[in-house]
Amino acid sequence: MPRMTMIEAIRSAMDVAMGRDDNVVVFGEDVGYFGGVFRCTQGLQQKYGRSRCFDAPISELGIVGAAVGMAAYGLKPCIEIQFADYVYPAYDQIVSEAARLRYRSNGEFTCPIVIRMPTGGGIFGGQTHSQSPEALFTHVSGLKVVVPSNPLDAKGLLIASIEDPDPVIFLEPKRLYNGPFDGHHDRPVTAWSKHELGEVPEGHFTVPLGKADIRRPGSAVTVLAYGTMVYVAQAAAEETGIDAEVIDLRTLLPLDLETIVASVKKTRRCVVVHEATLTSGFGAELVSLVQENCFYHLEAPVARVTGWDTPYPHAQEWDYFPGPKRVGEALIETMEA
């Protein structure tokens, strides 16, 4: 089986989808000839032509608005927002049009679009290239929100998202594009070519939306994470020696509540980890759901480890980034509570 980086897996997913369905189109800023700022679409224009993979003006509102119109007429746009930080001008189109089209038309129209966005920090991108805006989308009825953590899932989830009849926000942790990252920035990065999850089938396959994966089985405490934080949580568990069960949510909407509840009822403790800011982050929703569904099983308060309530700093990146030290401290405190 071939080995792929997450970039290559995402490209392969779009290639497979475009080859199977002529209605799938790919576009965005620098997506066509240049192949995207991270090269996720490299070679697609040459293979499928400029009517299937093309460059768009620097207008996120226009990119999403055009995609909504295309979807209403039967196409399946898979569009790229160059960085998740740039999506805000298009937020009204996503919330008021894409997410509502099925409902406002009583099912006469659907909006099968995928909005791909590199997300998160860890690359010294500063405050305008490092944001994690997933909570802004999980709040919106009518959207699905996906965050893969590895090449295998990235390809399967992206194909499933493209084939889904409703709009999907597909957030790609850019710190994971070339290899898993455990939060130790002073260590060499392990390439995906040396990781088991770098093995990705070449053809068509899907990973179902709404199904989490237990990345590290354990019995002492449940850790809920997604994206880059999956590897940080695994590192924290290994370094503290705590038998933590690490769950990779993969899809935030729809959420695999069944897997979460089963794990917390078993471990009786829970720590939630994400890179986005603390206040009103998606972790708050997870904490509430765990409390509502597992209250009589919990032996300690549910803890959160997140980014700080401040713009993502450039010079103090690793003070902001929720690393294994902070996650490990939360695990220890939860076990001692």
Side-chain angles (χ1 to χ4, degrees):
M1 188 178 297
R3 297 270 180 165
M4 299 183 188
T5 66
M6 190 180 288
I7 291 171
E8 293 167 337
I10 289 166
R11 183 191 307 142
S12 179
M14 288 184 281
D15 186 11
V16 168
M18 294 174 80
R20 287 168 58 91
D21 189 345
D22 290 341
N23 288 320
V24 177
V25 294
V26 172
F27 64 97
E29 297 165 12
D30 297 319
V31 162
Y33 178 81
F34 190 62
V37 67
F38 292 102
R39 301 298 190 271
C40 289
T41 57
Q42 191 170 40
L44 295 181
Q45 186 178 88
Q46 289 86 338
K47 184 173 183 178
Y48 294 101
R50 289 185 293 178
S51 64
R52 299 279 308 282
C53 179
F54 53 91
D55 296 317
I58 302 176
S59 172
E60 286 74 22
L61 183 151
I63 292 169
V64 175
V68 172
M70 289 178 173
Y73 275 89
L75 296 177
K76 297 180 179 179
C78 180
I79 61 176
E80 179 182 299
I81 303 298
Q82 200 168 79
F83 288 86
D85 314 62
Y86 300 167
V87 75
Y88 304 115
Y91 193 68
D92 181 50
Q93 290 284 354
I94 295 170
V95 173
S96 300
E97 303 298 337
R100 307 283 192 251
L101 189 58
R102 175 186 289 275
Y103 298 88
R104 70 187 298 183
S105 69
N106 195 28
E108 185 175 349
F109 293 98
T110 59
C111 194
I113 70 174
V114 176
I115 304 175
R116 293 182 40 250
M117 293 182 271
T119 186
I123 64 165
F124 289 101
Q127 62 183 0
T128 59
H129 295 78
S130 305
Q131 297 172 60
S132 299
E134 61 270 11
L136 297 177
F137 300 106
T138 57
H139 183 68
V140 180
S141 300
L143 297 178
K144 294 182 173 71
V145 181
V146 178
V147 189
S149 69
N150 60 78
L152 179 63
D153 283 351
K155 180 174 179 178
L157 289 167
L158 183 53
I159 293 175
S161 298
I162 293 171
E163 295 177 349
D164 195 273
D166 291 304
V168 178
I169 305 298
F170 197 88
L171 298 169
E172 302 164 6
K174 51 186 174 289
R175 193 61 177 81
L176 300 181
Y177 270 154
N178 293 304
F181 179 63
D182 63 4
H184 290 290
H185 61 279
D186 52 347
R187 297 180 185 176
V189 174
T190 301
W192 283 118
S193 61
K194 298 179 180 179
H195 195 283
E196 62 180 358
L197 293 173
E199 291 188 353
V200 183
E202 289 186 324
H204 177 275
F205 73 95
T206 61
V207 173
L209 305 186
K211 184 61 180 175
D213 191 24
I214 298 175
R215 291 291 179 205
R216 184 187 190 278
S219 60
V221 55
T222 298
V223 182
L224 304 180
Y226 49 92
T228 307
M229 293 299 111
V230 172
Y231 303 97
V232 174
Q234 289 175 322
E238 296 297 331
E239 292 166 20
T240 59
I242 293 174
D243 188 23
E245 180 154 284
V246 177
I247 296 180
D248 181 353
L249 298 179
R250 301 198 291 195
T251 304
L252 307 187
L253 276 183
L255 182 68
D256 186 358
L257 186 59
E258 181 180 356
T259 295
I260 294 171
V261 170
S263 178
V264 175
K265 285 184 176 180
K266 176 183 68 175
T267 66
R268 310 179 81 85
R269 289 174 169 84
C270 184
V271 174
V272 176
V273 186
H274 63 64
E275 193 176 343
T277 52
L278 175 70
T279 302
S280 299
F282 187 65
E285 179 68 18
L286 293 172
V287 170
S288 180
L289 288 170
V290 169
Q291 187 272 340
E292 289 173 7
N293 290 274
C294 307
F295 180 79
Y296 293 106
H297 293 80
L298 289 170
E299 295 184 1
V302 183
R304 281 185 290 172
V305 184
T306 72
W308 306 113
D309 285 341
T310 176
Y312 215 118
H314 181 273
Q316 291 82 34
E317 176 132 34
W318 304 118
D319 292 320
Y320 183 96
F321 191 91
K325 182 176 183 294
R326 285 173 56 196
V327 177
E329 290 171 351
L331 291 175
I332 293 170
E333 290 175 4
T334 300
M335 294 303 300
E336 294 177 347

